[in-house]
Amino acid sequence: MVGIVLASHGGFADGIAQSAQMLFGEQDNFAHVILKPDEGPDDIRGKMETAITSFENQDEVLLIVDLWGGTPFNQANTLLEKHPNWAVVTGMNLPMVVEALTQRMTNPDITAHQIATAVVEPAKDGIKTKPAELMPKETAGTKPQAQTASSAKKKTIPEGTVVGDGHIKFVLARIDSRLLHGQVATGWIPTMHPDRVIVVSDNVAKDEMRKSMIREAAPAGVKAHTVPLNKLVEIAKDPRFGNTHALLLFENPEDVLKVIKAGVDIKTVNVGSMSYKVGDVNANNVLSMNQEDVDTFHELEKMGVKYDVRKVPTDKEGNMEAILNKAQSLLDEQNK
């Protein structure tokens, strides 16, 4: 595994590392070092060397630093002289670090040089403005940021056409009250490789602002749609989606139960996050439930649905039976 070191002036690297691990969970072979105001070049170099010696594999190391020509970069650059397999990338931002961790997670045999190449475009793509027209105009010969509506249009496939085997593929069905957010975009999507994210919610499908935010939160190359429950049932039966690999996001287990009863073939549910609501109990640090939730999970289990309890792919799988037992005990206590 490639070891990754973040280095910066001041606490920047510490903050980026903390943000990245909120998305991915704790990471092995991952370090962050900073140059304090009262320190010099030897200090930051020593921190880098100490961090690298803690890695399992010191043959492949990527150093991500804040500024080309700054002291962290200069010291990282001197380390490369005796280590041709190592690499340095400057201009550190969160999209860059997220991409580095994603590349390492999804391809264990990748090299530091390959990751260095892979992180550049996501780092640049992470710079956007709102309103979009504030972005500088593209110069001739550069890649356009987005297609126009007319160029992006595709021919409609005639109804009844069978594409592929005629059955949509659900690469993941996840319960997450936050729907499409960082842990999904940077963890589950790179791991499961969907070409489409489908948020399944009657409420969100009526909210144009939330639908727009979900579309914009999707990573490059993945389309995001929001549909009501009955639309997902139609999609699941439509043979035109035979080549589609979809990641489904639900706000709660009740909606999952409804679509399964309507004929949607979901065999495993990833239980990721359920935010606290009045009347809920905290079954663990990320799952809050009421009695209806607990009963619904039990009903899904009786129907043969399996549970995968993880926030991010790198987490150890949780014990759903123990979680439901704890929730039920807390609900019984609450109702006394």
Side-chain angles (χ1 to χ4, degrees):
M1 174 184 287
V2 176
I4 298 175
V5 181
L6 311 184
S8 72
H9 298 80
F12 183 41
D14 291 344
I16 291 281
Q18 182 181 33
S19 296
Q21 292 190 120
M22 284 182 66
L23 300 172
F24 285 86
E26 291 295 321
Q27 294 289 303
D28 295 328
N29 302 296
F30 180 63
H32 44 102
V33 298
I34 65 171
L35 177 66
K36 297 180 180 179
D38 59 347
E39 293 179 331
D42 291 342
D43 296 299
I44 190 67
R45 177 177 174 135
K47 291 177 183 179
M48 291 177 184
E49 292 173 332
T50 299
I52 292 168
T53 58
S54 71
F55 294 162
E56 296 173 4
N57 177 12
Q58 295 165 29
D59 293 331
E60 293 283 347
V61 176
L62 175 66
L63 297 110
I64 301 178
V65 301
D66 55 355
L67 184 67
W68 183 278
T71 298
F73 166 77
N74 291 336
Q75 295 308 305
N77 194 34
T78 62
L79 294 177
L80 260 64
E81 295 176 1
K82 296 181 180 180
H83 301 280
N85 291 339
W86 294 10
V88 177
V89 181
T90 64
M92 176 171 59
N93 62 12
L94 185 55
M96 175 189 290
V97 176
V98 163
E99 183 65 23
L101 293 174
T102 299
Q103 290 286 336
R104 191 178 72 167
M105 179 177 66
T106 56
N107 185 0
D109 297 323
I110 200 168
T111 67
H113 286 186
Q114 289 171 327
I115 296 178
T117 299
V119 302
V120 175
E121 285 302 322
K124 293 191 291 186
D125 289 343
I127 303 172
K128 302 181 187 295
T129 65
K130 194 75 174 183
E133 57 266 24
L134 299 180
M135 285 291 287
K137 301 296 184 183
E138 292 289 337
T139 57
T142 61
K143 180 182 176 180
Q145 290 184 349
Q147 292 179 306
T148 62
S150 59
S151 65
K153 287 183 179 179
K154 293 184 178 180
K155 293 181 179 179
T156 302
I157 300 174
E159 189 172 344
T161 302
V162 177
V163 176
D165 64 2
H167 300 286
I168 190 171
K169 316 301 185 296
F170 299 130
V171 298
L172 184 76
R174 176 177 171 90
I175 296 173
D176 190 331
S177 53
R178 293 180 292 171
L179 298 172
L180 182 49
H181 59 101
Q183 290 174 350
V184 176
T186 62
W188 288 106
I189 289 176
T191 300
M192 305 310 295
H193 305 294
D195 47 53
R196 192 179 304 256
V197 173
I198 304 177
V199 171
V200 188
S201 168
D202 288 344
N203 292 328
V204 181
K206 300 173 185 176
D207 189 329
E208 290 301 324
M209 179 174 291
R210 291 187 69 185
K211 286 168 63 177
S212 176
M213 292 174 64
I214 287 167
R215 284 194 300 270
E216 293 179 4
V222 179
K223 295 180 180 180
H225 307 273
T226 303
V227 301
L229 275 62
N230 62 351
K231 183 63 176 178
L232 178 66
V233 176
E234 294 177 11
I235 291 171
K237 298 176 181 178
D238 193 327
R240 291 175 293 181
F241 290 93
N243 283 340
T244 298
H245 296 77
L247 187 154
L248 305 180
L249 295 172
F250 296 88
E251 291 181 287
N252 54 64
E254 291 75 31
D255 285 349
V256 177
L257 180 61
K258 289 174 184 175
V259 299
I260 290 178
K261 284 185 172 181
V264 178
D265 186 19
I266 296 174
K267 293 181 171 63
T268 300
V269 174
N270 170 240
V271 185
S273 174
M274 295 173 61
S275 300
Y276 178 83
K277 308 180 297 298
V278 175
D280 284 358
V281 295
N282 294 317
N284 65 15
N285 62 332
V286 294
L287 297 176
S288 298
M289 305 180 190
N290 57 31
Q291 189 63 58
E292 184 182 10
D293 297 327
V294 173
D295 292 343
T296 300
F297 278 123
H298 283 308
E299 186 172 354
L300 286 166
E301 188 174 18
K302 290 177 181 177
M303 297 173 68
V305 174
K306 305 297 183 183
Y307 296 119
D308 171 20
V309 186
R310 288 182 292 169
K311 291 186 297 181
V312 294
T314 53
D315 281 348
K316 181 179 178 181
E317 190 172 334
N319 186 323
M320 192 61 173
E321 182 179 0
I323 291 170
L324 292 176
N325 287 341
K326 179 181 179 181
Q328 188 62 65
S329 177
L330 291 171
L331 287 165
D332 290 343
E333 184 68 23
Q334 179 177 276
N335 293 328
K336 283 184 179 179

